[in-house]
Amino acid sequence: MLARAGFENSASLLPLALSLKTETSEKVFGMAAGALTELRKFVDDNDAARDSLKKISGEFARATFEELDWNEKAGESDDDRERRTTALSLMMDSEDKEVLNEGKNAF
């Protein structure tokens, strides 16, 4: 929102987003992930920047993905299910080879 309003440069918000990579609140984690996703439109025409953003997205999502894995656990909260989906999406967008291979094998 700060970047959209012109109060901050989008790139300056990356450290803030990365500081939330272990956030357990789905709403906070989802907003940070959404900010990373929003940045894609600024790097579409720049291969190096796009690759960097993919790497950053994977770094952001890795801890949550490793915590929650692919499969729902008994008694899991709605927040955890939502965070899993978000983390999995970012890991796939980051083109993480292990996640992509596991996804291909699962489906």
Side-chain angles (χ1 to χ4, degrees):
M1 287 188 261
L2 291 170
R4 282 188 206 162
F7 293 112
E8 282 291 334
N9 177 303
S10 296
S12 72
L13 299 175
L14 287 174
L16 174 61
L18 287 173
S19 74
L20 300 170
K21 66 184 176 183
T22 58
E23 179 60 50
T24 58
S25 166
E26 183 278 323
K27 291 191 182 344
V28 175
F29 185 80
M31 287 188 75
L36 290 173
T37 302
E38 184 81 13
L39 289 174
R40 286 186 205 157
K41 64 183 170 189
F42 297 109
V43 298
D44 273 347
D45 297 337
N46 184 323
D47 290 342
R50 186 174 51 249
D51 290 344
S52 291
L53 185 57
K54 286 179 183 183
K55 182 178 177 184
I56 290 167
S57 295
E59 180 184 333
F60 172 81
R62 182 162 308 285
T64 299
F65 181 72
E66 288 176 354
E67 171 196 349
L68 299 173
D69 201 36
W70 282 84
N71 301 308
E72 184 176 335
K73 295 158 189 71
E76 187 172 81
S77 70
D78 290 340
D79 270 10
D80 284 348
R81 282 190 288 279
E82 291 293 324
R83 284 189 311 128
R84 174 185 296 104
T85 301
T86 301
L88 178 57
S89 175
L90 287 172
M91 292 299 291
M92 293 182 113
D93 287 343
S94 75
E95 298 179 1
D96 181 276
K97 291 188 186 329
E98 185 178 322
V99 171
L100 291 174
N101 286 337
E102 195 168 339
K104 287 176 187 175
N105 291 333
F107 302 102

